[in-house]
């Protein structure tokens, strides 16, 4: 199925494995399984979770909540529609 060619007027659209829109942050792959996007989000969340974990004894709880809602929550919330359309096996790291 790699021989499919799409043209708009006379411009041929290139077939790529994945596309990452510069300003939207969603990684779209050629199979629409969202694995690369989920991996990217998971890695961001893990990094910030480590930072919050290290801060837990040094700052008040409200500050930890502020950090969470500033740096973690937006990544979870943005693109949430994709989570519902993904197979459970693709959400393995995020579902635990």
């Amino acid at each position: 199925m790699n021989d499919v060619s799409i043209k708009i007027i006379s411009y041929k659209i290139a077939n790529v494995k994945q596309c990452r829109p510069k300003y939207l942050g969603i990684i779209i792959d050629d199979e629409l399984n969202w694995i690369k996007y989920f991996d990217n989000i998971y890695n961001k969340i893990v990094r910030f979770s480590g930072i919050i974990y290290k801060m837990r004894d040094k700052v008040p709880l409200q500050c930890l909540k502020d950090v969470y809602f500033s740096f973690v929550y937006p990544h979870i919330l943005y693109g949430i529609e994709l989570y519902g359309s993904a197979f459970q096996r693709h959400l393995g790291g995020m579902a635990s």
Side-chain angles (χ1 to χ4, degrees):
M1 193 156 173
N2 291 335
D3 58 348
V4 174
S5 177
I6 299 174
K7 289 185 179 181
I8 297 179
I9 305 175
S10 62
Y11 182 76
K12 183 178 178 183
I13 306 297
N15 185 10
V16 296
K17 289 295 279 178
Q18 70 183 30
C19 174
R20 182 180 194 156
K22 185 174 181 180
Y23 298 108
L24 297 178
I26 294 179
I27 301 171
I28 302 170
D29 61 76
D30 61 344
E31 296 179 12
L32 294 178
N33 61 18
W34 312 112
I35 292 174
K36 297 284 186 187
Y37 173 69
F38 295 143
D39 287 345
N40 184 39
I41 296 300
Y42 177 77
N43 290 332
K44 287 181 183 181
I45 291 172
V46 166
R47 186 178 73 227
F48 286 118
S49 296
I51 292 169
I52 292 171
Y53 180 79
K54 290 176 184 176
M55 293 172 49
R56 74 188 187 285
D57 295 329
K58 297 172 179 58
V59 297
L61 180 60
Q62 185 58 46
C63 183
L64 292 174
K65 288 180 182 180
D66 290 344
V67 170
Y68 169 80
F69 282 108
S70 297
F71 296 106
V72 176
Y73 188 70
H75 291 293
I76 295 171
L77 193 61
Y78 184 70
I80 197 167
E81 295 83 7
L82 300 178
Y83 304 140
S85 67
F87 291 112
Q88 185 65 32
R89 70 176 180 267
H90 297 318
L91 298 174
M94 297 182 76
S96 20

